[in-house]
Amino acid sequence: MTDPQAVPSPPPTVEANLTLAVLAKLGLFVVGTVVVIAAIGRAQQLLALVIMAGVLSAVVAPLVDWLGRALARPAATLVVHLVAFIVLVTVTSLVVSDIRTESEHLETYASEQLAELGDGVAPIAFSRADLSRRAADATASWGTTAVLGDDAATGIAVRASQLVVIVVLSVFFSLQGDRVIDAMVQRSSDRDRRRQLRTIWSDAVDAGARQLRHALAHGTVVGIIALVVTRSFGLPGATLLAFWAAVVSLVPVLGPVVGWMPAVVVAGLSEGWRPALTMAAVAIVTVVVSSRARAATAPPFRVGPLLAVVGIACGVNAAGLPGAATGLFLVTAGAYAAAHHWSSVAELAAERHADGAVERPPAGHRQTEPVEQTNDADRAPRVYVDISSTTLLRVGALVVFAVMFQLSLASAGAIVIWVAVGLLIAVGLDRPVSWAERRLHAPRAAIVVAGAIAVATALAGLGWASGGDLGSVGSLDDDLPQLAASLGDLPVVGGRLSELDIEGAVADFQRRAPSLIDRSPVAGQAIGFVGGGVVALFWIVATVLTALIDGPRVISAIDRRITARYTRQVRRLATSARDALAGYVAGSALVAAINGSLIGAMAALVGVPMPLMLAVWAFSWNFVPQIGAIIGWAPVLILAIVLHPIAGLGCVAFFVIYQLLENNLVQPAIVGHAVDISALAALGAALAGGAIAGLIGAVLAIPIVGVLHALRTEWSSDDFPRLRPRPAVA
């Protein structure tokens, strides 16, 4: 029998030794990887120029081939690129010159409008401040930066030199690009793999170039039509308006509408409402006809609107207008490769894996010396380990790819957050859109467009209804001294307020306000903030519309390419994440709607001006955790206290009571079932998101943490399907 008190013997161990050659190889690998990463970090701009040059060479390739039939290929390449350079410089110069000219007209027009606004509405006489000049300067700066990527003279010179570099590199790629690709493909020792990689590369580049050429041709036609129409109407800044329509029309769904909107607005401001209606009718006809023509002449493979919006948005944020074309090209090429070559690449990899499993041991770890068997129990067997160069190259490529991906995210900047916000809203709106699609048996795109028109109409009606309340705000300039004097009649604190001479302080502030605004940078910062908000709103709305239209198709395409071994698990996890995210968005929207409705009703009862606008303000801020409720309620509470002090104190008491009810009853009952995380976890997520991405990061942090918690709960559930065993290799 075995002695129960006997100590169990330790498990056998193996001593792994690395030779000096292996250590040297590892050292060179680490040093080389660090050098490559440092070079990538310092050469981001050069890499961007190389990519843009490659895109340009792919786009002009048909012209080079066509002209090469009459001339030698080097001569044809030089002629095509020289013509392209002249066209780009000419168009850019005309647009920038028109931007500068129209900014001067804008200053005159803004001065007139601000003068009228100061007489009837502005409570502190904004018309006397130099806002018109600041608005004109901001417009000129925005326009020049959007076209050239910089507004300073040195920056414009740098952009011009970069354009020359792009053209020169494009000439090189047109002449030697095939040899470069062949040299890269030859790194693989497998003939089938080389052929497969060459086919994938050529097909993807051709698909991206066709899509970009088609988009540029469509934008050019739209720009020409817009130029003819705006000049026939005699609108100022016709070249700028046409350029805007041509560029923005590249963005699917929302782009054509936004592209023609400035022309309609300028027609209304300069000519009257009848020319504006005529321009709107012309714009609608042009958008419909051009959209149908674009769909009819589309290349055999075209990327969906959602991926196109994401690619264009990232490209614009990273490198301006050239980046937009590059982003569309890269997204199309990647989508084509994934759609047409995914299965063949997977099959080829499986064949290589199967052959390797039968014929050779795994690479990277081999025993170069037999294990020495000794009778000494204290001595572990010794194995010499070697690492193949292929393994090191693969690991290094993975590390470099990860660093490049991180740098790409950093260069994309705010566009990643805007796209994430758009996708979050689209997930919340997917349920009503899908319900309407099933009940009405109508195309999904028609339902989304109809809903967008209804929302835009409602917002326009809200703005028109709130416009009448501005008159009551305008009288606030005259009523401020009387309001300050009436504070002395308040109980308890009235005497103390009278001693402080608040009425005199208010009168002195009204007198000095215009000069303070003129010297303060706040006005310029406010103009920049509004402009950035408009850009963010455009990309968010574009993402929402394209995700609602194209989202199901993209998800189905991804689902079809998931390996059968992981299908059940991925679908379960995706369903859980979608339900949690959709429930959170819908519940948060309902809570925000309740909050906004209460504020609007309370403002109307108390007599606070602009109750509808205050309700929308509170609705928007209610999505921000922790501080959103305070900021949403602050305007109505301040106005209520200033206009009606006693009623304002009642509003403050109502705010405290409602926040207690919302935080302890309404919010947990409506949103708690979708995102089941504790209050401490929500606070930590909001703080972390705010530290990473500011206010929007705080908004996105809670649903992201909630989705991760839902995935973890689903993964650990008892009925979660386990992975199927891999098929045996013969």
Side-chain angles (χ1 to χ4, degrees), residues 111-314:
S111 299
E112 298 173 355
Q113 296 298 318
L114 287 174
E116 297 179 2
L117 186 66
D119 295 336
V121 174
I124 51 177
F126 283 103
S127 61
R128 288 176 287 175
D130 199 10
L131 295 181
S132 58
R133 177 183 55 81
R134 300 188 182 191
D137 294 343
T139 302
S141 177
W142 290 343
T144 307
T145 304
V147 177
L148 299 176
D150 205 322
D151 186 35
T154 55
I156 295 176
V158 171
R159 296 295 180 182
S161 62
Q162 290 176 352
L163 178 60
V164 174
V165 172
I166 291 174
V167 173
V168 172
L169 290 176
S170 179
V171 172
F172 170 77
F173 287 143
S174 298
L175 297 176
Q176 302 294 331
D178 292 337
R179 295 184 180 181
V180 174
I181 300 303
D182 290 336
M184 296 175 61
V185 172
Q186 292 298 327
R187 299 292 301 175
S188 177
S189 59
D190 193 313
R191 181 183 302 176
D192 296 335
R193 180 66 58 83
R194 292 199 301 268
R195 184 176 64 253
Q196 187 71 28
L197 292 176
R198 194 69 176 85
T199 303
I200 293 174
W201 176 270
S202 60
D203 291 348
V205 169
D206 182 67
R210 288 191 178 191
Q211 176 75 16
L212 184 55
R213 284 195 295 268
H214 178 260
L216 292 177
H218 172 77
T220 302
V221 172
V222 171
I224 294 174
I225 295 174
L227 182 62
V228 173
V229 171
T230 52
R231 287 192 179 277
S232 63
F233 275 76
L235 299 183
T239 304
L240 180 59
L241 294 175
F243 180 79
W244 171 263
V247 171
V248 181
S249 64
L250 297 178
V251 181
V253 183
L254 188 63
V257 178
V258 177
W260 281 93
M261 191 176 296
V264 176
V265 173
V266 171
L269 294 177
S270 59
E271 305 295 333
W273 63 272
R274 290 185 178 179
L277 292 179
T278 306
M279 177 65 73
V282 173
I284 292 173
V285 173
T286 305
V287 168
V288 173
V289 173
S290 62
S291 299
R292 291 184 175 274
R294 185 176 185 177
T297 59
F301 177 83
R302 56 177 179 174
V303 71
L306 175 59
L307 295 180
V309 165
V310 174
I312 294 173
C314 294

Side-chain angles (χ1 to χ4, degrees), residues 335-349:
Y336 183 89
H340 291 78
H341 295 287
W342 182 280
S343 58
S344 59
V345 171
E347 292 174 0
L348 185 60

Side-chain angles (χ1 to χ4, degrees), residues 647-673:
L649 295 178
C651 293
V652 173
F654 178 76
F655 164 70
V656 175
I657 295 173
Y658 174 72
Q659 286 304 308
L660 292 175
L661 294 176
E662 179 183 307
N663 294 331
N664 295 280
L665 295 178
V666 180
Q667 189 84 11
I670 297 178
V671 185
H673 70 281

